[in-house]
Amino acid sequence: MATPMELLRSKMSRVRIPEPTNRVYKQECCVSFDTPRSEGGLYVDMHTFLAFGKDYVEWNYAKTGNPVYLHIRQTRKAVPEDRPLKKPTLLAIGLEGGFDKQEPEYEETYSIVILPDYVSLPFPSVELPEKVRLAVDSILLAEGAERKEQIASWIADKKKVSAFAMDLQQIDSGVVVPPSGWKCCNCDKVENLWLNLTDGMIFCGRKNWDGTGGNNHAIEHYNETKYPLAVKLGTITADLETADVFSYPEDESVEDPLLAQHLAFFGIDFSSLKKTEMTTAERELDQNTNFDWNRIQESGQEVEPLFGPGYTGLVNLGNSCYLASTMQVMFSTHSFCSRYYEKQNLKAAFENAPADPTLDLNMQIIKLGHGLLSGKYSVPIKETDETGNNSTSTSNVKQEGIAPRMFKAVVAASHPEFSTMRQQDALEFFLHLLDQVERANSGNAEMDPTRSFKFGIEERLMCPSGKVAYNKRTDYILSLSIPLHEATNKEQLEAFNKLKAARSLEGKSVSADEIVRPRVPLEACLASFSAAEEVHDFYSTALDSKTTAVKTAGLTTFPDYLVLHMRKFVMEEGWVPKKLDVYIDVPDIIDITHLRSKGIQPGEELLPESVAREENAGSSEPLANELIVSQLASMGFNYLHCQKAAINTSNAGIEEAMTWLLSHINDPDIDDPIPTGTGNTDFLSVDQASLDTLISFGFQEEVARKALKASGGNIEQATDWIFSQPDVSSSMDMDATTSSAQNTVDAGLSDGGGRYRLMALISHIGTSTHCGHYVTHILKNGKWVIFNDSKVGASIDPPKDMGYLYFFERINS
C-alpha cells in the first residue's frame, strides 16, 4: 500500500504553481458561503485554485478529477480572562490608540489533502516535494481573488495612464535601491515609503488626520523638485498592475505602463519583491467596510434579532446596501425562491456550471439563494463584553451574515457603475438585475422569474380630429410622480411654513420635532399616472400638422408582483437635484382595477399610419415619437433633447431614449437644431458594413438598421438589442399601432385581479440615490422584518410612509 507521500508524488501532474495573473480563491467557497472559519475549513484545488467547503469539495473532485487540495482552517483563539480593556487615546476605530473593538483573533493551520480518501500531509514540511511547497507558498502569498476583485471595484474609475509616464526623465546619480531595509531619507519612518521615479529618493507619505501615516516628506520633495511620479514601496510585486503609483501634478493614483523599465533604472527586480503594505485603494476599502453602517436602524427601538431560513443578513461590501436591500426582496418572492432554491439543486447547478463557477450568473444566483434561504448561515454569534468574555445579553446577539462578493462581481461585470464600490440607485440595480436574469433565462421562458414582475402599459392619444393613437410597451415598474398639492395636511403645512418664515426673520431655524412634512395618499399618486395629460406639439397624421393631444394611460396586464417607484428625486430650476421630503400614506391593501386599460373602443378611429410616411417621403426630416418625447419631457428634460433621444434610438421606447439621453447630455451639439432638408440624411445613417453583417445573420434590413441606430453602431450591442426586443419586427412604428400588433406585447405576461397586498418596501436615507443608505422591510409570515445589511430583526414600526420602492403581491381570489 502506497504511503501518503508516495500517493502525493503520483498526483504531481495535477498540481500547479499559480502565476501572478491567476485568480486564487482562498477565502470563500465557490458554491456556498463556507470560509476557512466554517466547520471543516476550506479546500483549495491546487490545479484550478478554486475553493470549496467540506460538503462540496467531493463535487469538484467528481467533476474535475483534481485530487490535491490545500486545506485551510481558522480556529478562534481563546481570549485571556485578564485581557485589559484598552483606553482610547484617539477618536478612531481599529487604529492604534483608538477604540478597542475586541475582535476575536484566529489561528490558521494548513495541510495537504488528497481525495477521495482525504489522505492528509502536514504543511509546512521539508519532506513535501518542492513543487508542492512552492505552490502552497504562492497560494498563501497571493491576494485572494475575492478581495482582489473587491479592491479593483473599489477604485471608482479605472486608473488612467499618467501624462508624465511615457516621457519621464530619470536622473542617473548612482542610486541603487536595495530589495528591502528601506527608510525615509529625512526621518526614521520605515513604513508608507514612496520611491520617486525621477531621482530614486525614498521619502515617507502624507500624515493622516489622526497622526498616523508619514511626515509629508514625499510631497515636500515634489514641491521642491517637481519630479512628478512616485511608487509606494511594499506594493511592488511580480503583478505590477497592483503597484501603487501616484502622480503629484495630477493628484491621483495613475498607471505607469513603463514601470518595469523605471524600476530597473534603479536596480529593482520587481519579480522578486513581496507585498508588505496596503495600496491606497485597499486602505480606503478597509476604512469603508469597517464603518458600522448597522447603526442606521429603526430610531430608538431595540430590535429583536431573528435567525433561521429566510432571515439571513448580507454583509455590506462597502456601499452595497442597494444590492442587499434588493436581493432580500427578490428572495422573498415566490418566483425567485422557486427558480433558484426550491426547484434548483445546488449540486446539479454546480455540475452544469462552466469550469469556473465564479463567472456564471446562474450559479451565483443559486448560491446566493441557498445562502439566504437555507438558514445554514443565519445562526447567532455572541459578541464579547468589556472583559472579553462571551456576552449573553439579547441586544448583543447577532449573526455574521453572508458576503455576496461573487454574486456582485458577476451580476455587475457588464455595468460600468455597479462594478464600482460607489453607492448606487436601488431602482437602477433592480432593473439591471431583471435584465440580466431575463437574458440568462432567454432559452426557457417558463423558468424566467422576471415574468412575474413584467406588465403591459397602453397609452392613448387623442388629437382634436377625434381620432386616436395607441402605444404599447412593457415595464417592470410603475413610476409615480408625487402630487404635493394633494397633501392631506395642508392646514398644518401652512402653519409650519408661517412658523418657518417667522423664525427665518429672527435668524433662527425650526427644530427637528417642529418640522411638518406633506402627507400624500398613494391613491393620489396612482391617479396622477392615469390622469389625462396634454401633449403639446404632437404631430397629427389626420390634421397633417402639429397640435395638442390628450394622453391617458392604463395597464393591459396586472403582474404577480407590482413594483411602485416613488419619484422622490426631482430637478429644481437650474437642473439642481432635490429629494422631496414627503410622506406617502400607503395602505396594506390596494386595488388598481380602475387602472385597467380598455383598449380600442367601438366607434374609435385610429390615426392613419401612412400619411406621414407618404407625404414626408421626399424629405429627410426625421420624426420623433411624441409619446416618448412627452414622457421624457415630463421628467424635466429639454424638449429638443428628448426629440433627439427618440430619433437616435429609432423610437424604440422610453428606456432606450432615456439611456441615450443620459449618455449624450453633455455632447457639444446637443442643443443644435435637428437637421432638415435633403442634404442631411447622415443624421440617421448607419455603417453599411455593419448593416450588411447583421443582414447576413438573417435579420431584416429595417430591423438591423433600427438596432444599429439604437446601439450607436455597435454590432454586438445591436444583436443583443434585437434579441431583447422580440416584437421589434412586428411593430416597427410606435406612433399608432393596430390592435393585432399590440397583442404581441402582452404575450406571455402574467395577469390577474387588481387587488394587491404590500409585501416589502425599500427605504432610502440620504439626499441622493448615490449616497446615503438603503434599508428594506419585508412582511414574512404575517410579521414585518427589518433587513439592514447583516442585521435582521423583528420590525416594531416599519416606515411604510417613507418608502422609495414599494413591492405589492397580487391577492389571488
Side-chain angles (χ1 to χ4, degrees):
M1 183 176 177
T3 66
M5 192 63 69
E6 290 172 339
L7 181 62
L8 176 60
R9 291 185 184 278
S10 69
K11 308 293 184 182
M12 291 299 289
S13 63
R14 307 301 295 172
V15 175
R16 292 171 56 215
I17 300 173
E19 300 290 333
T21 54
N22 287 138
R23 297 158 67 229
V24 177
Y25 291 90
K26 57 182 181 179
Q27 292 152 352
E28 179 182 310
C29 173
C30 293
V31 295
S32 75
F33 290 92
D34 287 358
T35 71
R37 298 177 186 178
S38 302
E39 183 182 355
L42 208 59
Y43 294 80
V44 180
D45 184 331
M46 294 188 67
H47 186 78
T48 63
F49 314 119
L50 297 173
F52 299 89
K54 179 189 67 172
D55 297 334
Y56 315 99
V57 64
E58 291 184 23
W59 299 358
N60 184 62
Y61 173 71
K63 182 176 180 178
T64 65
N66 295 336
V68 186
Y69 296 82
L70 170 62
H71 188 206
I72 305 176
R73 295 194 67 177
Q74 292 179 348
T75 53
R76 189 167 177 171
K77 291 182 179 179
V79 180
E81 291 186 9
D82 59 348
R83 175 179 173 179
L85 184 65
K86 297 179 181 178
K87 185 176 181 179
T89 58
L90 288 174
L91 189 62
I93 298 175
L95 295 176
E96 186 64 32
F99 292 96
D100 187 358
K101 294 193 292 182
Q102 297 284 346
E103 285 192 342
E105 297 179 357
Y106 290 85
E107 182 178 9
E108 197 161 81
T109 57
Y110 315 103
S111 61
I112 306 299
V113 174
I114 306 170
L115 264 58
D117 298 323
Y118 291 88
V119 175
S120 181
L121 295 94
F123 181 90
S125 171
V126 293
E127 296 181 3
L128 289 171
E130 183 181 12
K131 182 180 181 182
V132 173
R133 285 187 279 121
L134 289 174
V136 174
D137 286 341
S138 297
I139 290 172
L140 296 179
L141 284 171
E143 185 79 72
E146 304 94 335
R147 178 170 169 81
K148 196 172 186 178
E149 289 174 356
Q150 193 179 2
I151 291 166
S153 57
W154 173 252
I155 304 171
D157 301 299
K158 188 182 187 320
K159 289 192 292 187
K160 68 177 184 180
V161 175
S162 171
F164 302 91
M166 306 309 289
D167 300 314
L168 184 70
Q169 299 296 315
Q170 294 188 280
I171 301 172
D172 186 2
S173 55
V175 173
V176 176
V177 178
S180 61
W182 308 304
K183 188 171 79 70
C184 176
C185 293
N186 286 357
C187 68
D188 294 330
K189 289 285 186 182
V190 293
E191 294 179 346
N192 190 21
L193 299 177
W194 294 79
L195 169 73
N196 191 286
L197 291 174
T198 296
D199 59 7
M201 302 297 285
I202 298 173
F203 296 99
C204 59
R206 306 185 197 220
K207 181 176 291 187
N208 296 327
W209 64 271
D210 58 1
T212 62
N215 290 318
N216 295 324
H217 290 144
I219 183 70
E220 289 174 2
H221 182 65
Y222 163 72
N223 290 333
E224 294 172 5
T225 64
K226 300 304 178 184
Y227 298 154
L229 301 182
V231 61
K232 187 174 184 179
L233 296 170
T235 68
I236 304 169
T237 67
D239 185 4
L240 270 186
E241 288 186 4
T242 63
D244 209 354
V245 180
F246 191 84
S247 170
Y248 292 105
E250 295 162 295
D251 195 27
E252 62 182 337
S253 293
V254 295
E255 183 180 339
D256 178 4
L258 303 179
L259 183 58
Q261 174 183 318
H262 293 155
L263 293 173
F265 187 86
F266 300 112
I268 298 177
D269 178 11
F270 65 87
S271 63
S272 63
L273 296 181
K274 304 296 182 185
K275 189 167 185 275
T276 60
E277 292 211 45
M278 287 186 180
T279 63
T280 305
E282 288 172 322
R283 286 194 178 279
E284 290 178 357
L285 175 64
D286 275 12
Q287 291 167 3
N288 190 275
T289 53
N290 286 337
F291 189 81
D292 189 6
W293 287 102
N294 291 334
R295 295 179 186 275
I296 304 172
Q297 57 182 341
E298 292 185 36
S299 179
Q301 308 288 354
E302 187 169 312
V303 175
E304 175 194 353
L306 298 175
F307 306 95
Y311 298 102
T312 307
L314 287 170
V315 174
N316 196 311
L317 305 176
N319 287 330
S320 64
C321 53
Y322 68 91
L323 178 148
S325 295
T326 303
M327 297 316 299
Q328 291 288 8
V329 177
M330 291 297 95
F331 278 106
S332 295
T333 64
H334 173 73
S335 53
F336 266 74
C337 292
S338 175
R339 168 67 178 87
Y340 293 112
Y341 182 67
E342 295 168 358
K343 295 182 180 179
Q344 184 62 71
N345 179 274
L346 192 59
K347 183 178 181 181
F350 173 68
E351 291 171 347
N352 294 326
D356 188 345
T358 68
L359 303 178
D360 182 52
L361 177 63
N362 188 63
M363 179 71 247
Q364 292 308 315
I365 298 181
I366 294 169
K367 168 183 169 177
L368 181 62
H370 280 72
L372 288 174
L373 301 175
S374 67
K376 179 179 179 180
Y377 305 98
S378 182
V379 294
I381 59 170
K382 294 184 178 180
E383 293 184 329
T384 54
D385 58 22
E386 293 182 356
T387 64
N389 296 320
N390 286 339
S391 170
T392 56
S393 169
T394 303
S395 62
N396 285 335
V397 179
K398 63 178 184 178
Q399 58 171 288
E400 285 187 356
I402 56 178
R405 296 186 190 92
M406 293 182 188
F407 167 74
K408 182 179 186 295
V410 70
V411 76
S414 61
H415 197 284
E417 279 298 318
F418 298 132
S419 56
T420 72
M421 296 295 283
R422 291 190 288 253
Q423 182 63 281
Q424 303 296 335
D425 185 355
L427 170 65
E428 291 182 18
F429 179 75
F430 169 72
L431 295 174
H432 173 73
L433 171 74
L434 294 190
D435 177 66
Q436 294 295 298
V437 171
E438 184 178 26
R439 289 169 183 264
N441 289 278
S442 59
N444 190 350
E446 291 299 319
M447 295 284 287
D448 183 6
T450 68
R451 296 173 63 195
S452 63
F453 294 92
K454 185 180 284 190
F455 57 91
I457 294 179
E458 183 174 68
E459 293 168 335
R460 175 183 181 270
L461 278 111
M462 184 174 71
C463 80
S465 69
K467 296 179 181 179
V468 296
Y470 282 89
N471 175 53
K472 263 195 175 184
R473 59 185 170 88
T474 58
D475 212 329
Y476 290 115
I477 56 117
L478 197 59
S479 186
L480 302 177
S481 58
I482 303 174
L484 296 177
H485 63 277
E486 296 285 352
T488 56
N489 58 339
K490 292 179 180 177
E491 292 183 4
Q492 293 93 324
L493 284 169
E494 186 177 347
F496 168 69
N497 289 329
K498 289 181 179 178
L499 173 65
K500 188 177 178 181
R503 292 281 177 86
S504 179
L505 291 174
E506 298 172 3
K508 300 178 182 178
S509 59
V510 293
S511 61
D513 57 357
E514 291 178 308
I515 295 176
V516 177
R517 296 174 176 84
R519 282 197 167 274
V520 179
L522 179 63
E523 291 86 347
C525 302
L526 290 168
S528 69
F529 166 76
S530 57
E533 176 186 347
E534 288 188 347
V535 177
H536 302 284
D537 293 324
F538 174 75
Y539 178 80
S540 169
T541 55
L543 303 176
D544 190 20
S545 64
K546 289 188 176 182
T547 183
T548 298
V550 177
K551 184 188 78 172
T552 54
L555 274 61
T556 59
T557 61
F558 292 158
D560 296 334
Y561 295 97
L562 177 69
V563 184
L564 302 183
H565 162 234
M566 310 311 299
R567 295 183 191 167
K568 289 190 172 183
F569 299 94
V570 297
M571 290 287 187
E572 289 190 314
E573 282 188 45
W575 289 83
V576 178
K578 175 188 176 183
K579 181 180 179 181
L580 296 179
D581 195 7
V582 59
Y583 291 128
I584 310 295
D585 285 329
V586 179
D588 291 329
I589 304 292
I590 63 172
D591 191 336
I592 61 168
T593 303
H594 62 285
L595 294 183
R596 175 80 72 171
S597 174
K598 296 181 175 61
I600 301 175
Q601 298 298 296
E604 282 188 339
E605 185 177 352
L606 290 174
L607 284 165
E609 292 185 63
S610 58
V611 173
R613 286 197 182 94
E614 292 170 358
E615 295 192 359
N616 288 282
S619 170
S620 64
E621 181 178 357
L623 296 176
N625 181 334
E626 290 297 340
L627 290 171
I628 297 173
V629 174
S630 63
Q631 282 183 288
L632 285 176
S634 70
M635 299 178 190
F637 293 107
N638 177 281
Y639 192 82
L640 173 63
H641 300 174
C642 298
Q643 287 182 305
K644 287 191 173 184
I647 291 169
N648 277 277
T649 54
S650 299
N651 296 321
I654 183 66
E655 186 175 344
E656 290 83 0
M658 171 76 82
T659 301
W660 185 94
L661 182 55
L662 293 176
S663 61
H664 291 80
I665 197 71
N666 294 317
D667 286 1
D669 60 348
I670 190 67
D671 291 314
D672 293 351
I674 297 173
T676 58
T678 58
N680 292 295
T681 55
D682 286 343
F683 184 76
L684 287 175
S685 65
V686 297
D687 179 66
Q688 187 62 42
S690 299
L691 182 63
D692 292 341
T693 300
L694 284 180
I695 294 173
S696 70
F697 292 164
F699 299 124
Q700 300 173 14
E701 179 178 353
E702 192 175 2
V703 174
R705 186 181 298 278
K706 182 176 181 180
L708 285 169
K709 293 172 185 175
S711 58
N714 183 289
I715 292 179
E716 183 177 350
Q717 293 179 11
T719 306
D720 288 342
W721 185 91
I722 293 173
F723 285 125
S724 67
Q725 306 282 333
D727 58 323
V728 66
S729 60
S730 62
S731 182
M732 292 302 297
D733 178 41
M734 303 283 283
D735 286 313
T737 58
T738 64
S739 58
S740 59
Q742 291 182 54
N743 291 334
T744 62
V745 178
D746 293 339
L749 299 183
S750 62
D751 196 11
R755 296 184 72 242
Y756 287 84
R757 176 181 287 107
L758 180 64
M759 62 156 287
L761 63 136
I762 295 178
S763 306
H764 175 263
I765 303 167
T767 57
S768 164
T769 54
H770 294 95
C771 68
H773 188 58
Y774 287 99
V775 175
T776 192
H777 288 74
I778 303 174
L779 185 65
K780 284 181 175 282
N781 301 317
K783 296 182 180 180
W784 283 95
V785 180
I786 179 174
F787 290 85
N788 187 6
D789 290 336
S790 59
K791 176 182 176 181
V792 181
S795 175
I796 298 171
D797 184 22
K800 297 179 186 178
D801 52 1
M802 297 179 67
Y804 174 56
L805 298 177
Y806 290 95
F807 296 79
F808 288 85
E809 183 176 18
R810 188 171 58 223
I811 300 174
N812 293 314
S813 57

